[in-house]
Amino acid sequence: KWNQSLNYSLTAAYYATRLDGAPPMSRGSGNVPKITFEETRELQELLQKRGYDVGRVDGVLGLKSRVAIRDLQIKSGLPADGWPTEELLARARAGR
C-alpha cells in the first residue's frame, strides 16, 4: 500500500517536475493582499443576502464562508482559492 500522506504526494509530484526539468519553486512574494475585518464582515453579509450559508456574520472566515467565497469566485471568473480580495468584494457589492 502506498503512502497516502498529502505531504508525501506533494513532495513526489514536485520531485517529478524537477526531474523533468522544471525550475525550483520560489518562495513567492509573501505579499498577499488582505481585506480588513470590517470588509470581511461586509462580504459575509453580501454572501448571506445572495443565499449562501456563511455561518455567523462575524468577520471571521470559517469553512462555510470560504466555501461561499470559492463559489462566488468561480461564478465571477476569479481564481477559486477561497481567499477574499478587494476585487471579489467589489464584484459582490456590484451584484455581479
Side-chain angles (χ1 to χ4, degrees):
K1 189 173 179 179
W2 77 290
N3 188 339
Q4 295 182 15
S5 162
L6 178 60
N7 287 335
Y8 175 82
S9 60
L10 286 174
T11 301
Y14 174 66
Y15 183 57
T17 61
R18 293 287 289 136
L19 286 174
D20 196 39
M25 283 193 306
S26 70
R27 298 190 91 197
S29 67
N31 195 9
V32 178
K34 299 176 184 172
I35 63 174
T36 67
F37 178 83
E38 291 78 18
E39 290 171 326
T40 302
R41 185 178 166 91
E42 179 187 357
L43 181 58
Q44 286 176 318
E45 290 171 351
L46 292 168
L47 288 166
Q48 193 175 52
K49 286 178 184 174
R50 288 175 172 231
Y52 289 101
D53 178 10
V54 296
R56 289 188 359 206
V57 176
D58 55 5
V60 178
L61 291 175
L63 179 62
K64 291 180 178 181
S65 291
R66 290 206 180 270
V67 168
I69 288 168
R70 197 169 323 147
D71 188 64
L72 184 58
Q73 286 171 324
I74 291 169
K75 290 178 180 175
S76 300
L78 298 170
D81 58 5
W83 191 259
T85 61
E86 285 287 338
E87 184 178 7
L88 182 67
L89 180 57
R91 291 184 185 204
R93 285 173 177 155
R96 294 185 282 150

